[in-house]
Amino acid sequence: MSGLRRHYTDAHTYLPDQASVAWIRTTDFDDLVRALGGDPAWVHPATWADVESAAWELADDEDRAVVLAARHGPWTVLLDAMCGRLTGLVKRLSASGEALALQWTVNYVATVAYARDGQVIGSFDPADLDTINPAAGRAWLSGLPVTQEEWRQGWQPAALALGEELSGVRLDQAWLAREHLCVPLGSAPPQVRPPSGFRVRDWLRPTLEGDPRLRAIAADPAPERQHEIIQLAIELARQAWPMSGDLERQALQAIADRVRDDRSAGTRARIDAAAADIRARIDATAAEIERQVSEERGPVQVPVVPDIDLMIRLSADPDMERLHRELRPLEILAQALDPDLNAAATQTSGLLTGKWIPPEASPVQAVLQQLAWYVATGEVDDE
């Protein structure tokens, strides 16, 4: 644990002066949102800076609040600008799994709490381990990969390292800067945004009006909608490509979870490497076909420009067809995982063209591309 703990010795420089953080393993994110007191329909992408600002604006509102949520596989990490909220909820949050929570005040008064399957295993002041309650939690505490000396030397690095040991998620400055999810809490929904000025070309209007998901995005083209545009683009792409390999499944899960973190970056890097290998095979196959055409033709006095024979052979070659079919889904998934959501949405939707896309999907692709551009720029592409 000491190696992990070293990663957090400077956590006080980038974490809030007071806050609570929780690591929750659960099978249902929507149930987790409801357990917090929120509505899954209100969840939207946001950075910690966005959530912290909103939290302080709502500090005097007894009926409303916001927390940051970041999904990492079966784990969800919550960060709340108000200390105390999450440690008091570990019993409820662990109903279908487990939950570890840490809170601290501006005076560095702290509490750590852990619950499993809806039962509190232990809650204690990390500066005084004898405070653990219930007393039966001593066995759990002594079994942790954190020594009494590590708790004494720095309870915050120790608790953050314990959270990483459980979840595999490192709460460093890069994590804090990334876009995650804002979870509004309370009985009132977020403020409704003003009506959209988005419009499409006349021939695409039936497509827009006939699809409830496209209509919803067009009515409220906020930045967080890029995730929905990416998801819709991937659904269209899967009509043409199965995307059934392990690497593809990892990418699809990250896209579905709306995650852009170190793990999704690693998946994207592996996809890029696989795509580069296929491109190399395409180049080698093209070179071989060009050699064959040159040998069949023999020496010529007048060069053929363009080389029609070569172009026909390249387009008709079954190996080239197969390689391009392998390449395109990798290109789409890699683009969809771009951490720049505007680029991910506009360019992923733009890749959905060509002979492999079903004809009935083309109008949907065109609307998606215009929506992505409008969300990114505020400009209507109606040319």
Side-chain angles (χ1 to χ4, degrees):
M1 173 62 72
S2 59
L4 271 179
R5 183 178 169 275
R6 281 196 296 271
H7 292 303
Y8 296 103
T9 53
D10 65 342
H12 65 280
T13 65
Y14 59 85
L15 286 174
D17 291 335
Q18 67 171 31
S20 52
V21 58
W23 298 260
I24 303 106
R25 180 177 59 82
T26 180
T27 56
D28 195 315
F29 179 72
D30 287 355
D31 279 352
L32 172 61
V33 172
R34 296 185 188 99
L36 286 166
D39 186 329
W42 301 344
V43 175
H44 59 273
T47 64
W48 167 244
D50 299 330
V51 173
E52 187 178 29
S53 175
W56 284 108
E57 288 180 9
L58 297 171
D60 295 328
D61 191 332
E62 296 181 359
D63 298 322
R64 297 175 64 203
V66 290
V67 298
L68 184 81
R71 301 181 65 184
H72 299 271
W75 287 88
T76 296
V77 181
L78 301 177
L79 183 58
D80 184 4
M82 303 298 139
C83 67
R85 192 184 342 250
L86 299 180
T87 51
L89 290 174
V90 289
K91 181 175 181 178
R92 188 188 308 173
L93 297 176
S94 71
S96 62
E98 58 185 316
L100 172 73
L102 162 70
Q103 71 172 56
W104 64 93
T105 69
V106 291
N107 298 318
Y108 251 41
V109 176
T111 301
V112 174
Y114 176 75
R116 187 189 307 124
D117 298 325
Q119 296 297 320
V120 176
I121 305 300
S123 178
F124 61 97
D125 177 349
D128 182 1
L129 302 186
D130 290 335
T131 61
I132 190 164
N133 183 47
R138 293 181 184 275
W140 164 76
L141 186 60
S142 64
L144 295 178
V146 188
T147 66
Q148 287 193 2
E149 182 64 14
E150 286 176 322
W151 284 119
R152 186 187 66 78
Q153 289 177 351
W155 53 261
Q156 189 180 54
L160 293 172
L162 178 59
E164 180 177 346
E165 183 82 1
L166 283 173
S167 66
V169 182
R170 180 169 298 175
L171 303 191
D172 54 16
Q173 288 176 287
W175 182 90
L176 205 66
R178 283 194 289 269
E179 184 179 70
H180 299 295
L181 298 172
C182 176
V183 181
L185 308 178
S187 57
Q191 269 191 326
V192 178
R193 294 179 176 86
S196 164
F198 176 75
R199 64 182 184 276
V200 293
R201 302 160 198 157
D202 290 343
W203 71 277
L204 290 173
R205 194 168 298 151
T207 300
L208 173 63
E209 294 175 351
D211 189 314
R213 290 192 292 179
L214 293 177
R215 285 203 316 271
I217 298 171
D220 181 23
E224 57 265 27
R225 293 291 194 175
Q226 297 288 34
H227 282 291
E228 295 173 60
I229 293 171
I230 294 167
Q231 190 65 55
L232 285 170
I234 292 299
E235 289 179 18
L236 287 179
R238 296 186 73 183
Q239 294 180 28
W241 298 278
M243 299 188 182
S244 57
D246 288 341
L247 195 54
E248 288 91 340
R249 283 196 292 270
Q250 292 173 27
L252 291 170
Q253 187 62 56
I255 293 164
D257 289 343
R258 303 183 174 187
V259 171
R260 299 296 187 278
D261 57 9
D262 292 342
R263 191 174 303 177
S264 65
T267 299
R268 190 183 188 213
R270 291 191 293 275
I271 290 174
D272 284 337
D277 178 68
I278 294 174
R279 291 189 190 99
R281 285 188 281 156
I282 287 173
D283 291 343
T285 302
E288 175 60 20
I289 292 172
E290 185 173 8
R291 185 191 64 78
Q292 292 173 6
V293 170
S294 179
E295 287 183 354
E296 292 169 5
R297 180 186 298 128
V300 294
Q301 300 299 318
V302 179
V304 179
V305 182
D307 194 332
I308 302 300
D309 291 340
L310 178 58
M311 293 172 62
I312 292 174
R313 286 280 289 274
L314 288 173
S315 63
D317 185 81
D319 287 337
M320 292 290 283
E321 168 84 6
R322 176 180 55 80
L323 289 169
H324 279 290
R325 285 190 67 89
E326 291 178 11
L327 177 61
R328 181 56 69 87
L330 294 178
E331 291 177 329
I332 290 172
L333 290 172
Q335 186 56 62
L337 287 174
D338 191 324
D340 181 338
L341 286 180
N342 284 336
T346 54
Q347 296 184 37
T348 301
S349 58
L351 286 172
L352 296 177
T353 56
K355 60 183 178 180
W356 297 302
I357 296 296
E360 63 273 14
S362 293
V364 179
Q365 180 273 335
V367 174
L368 272 180
Q369 196 165 8
Q370 290 185 54
L371 278 170
W373 179 255
Y374 184 78
V375 173
T377 68
E379 299 174 359
V380 176
D381 179 16
D382 55 3
E383 293 182 0

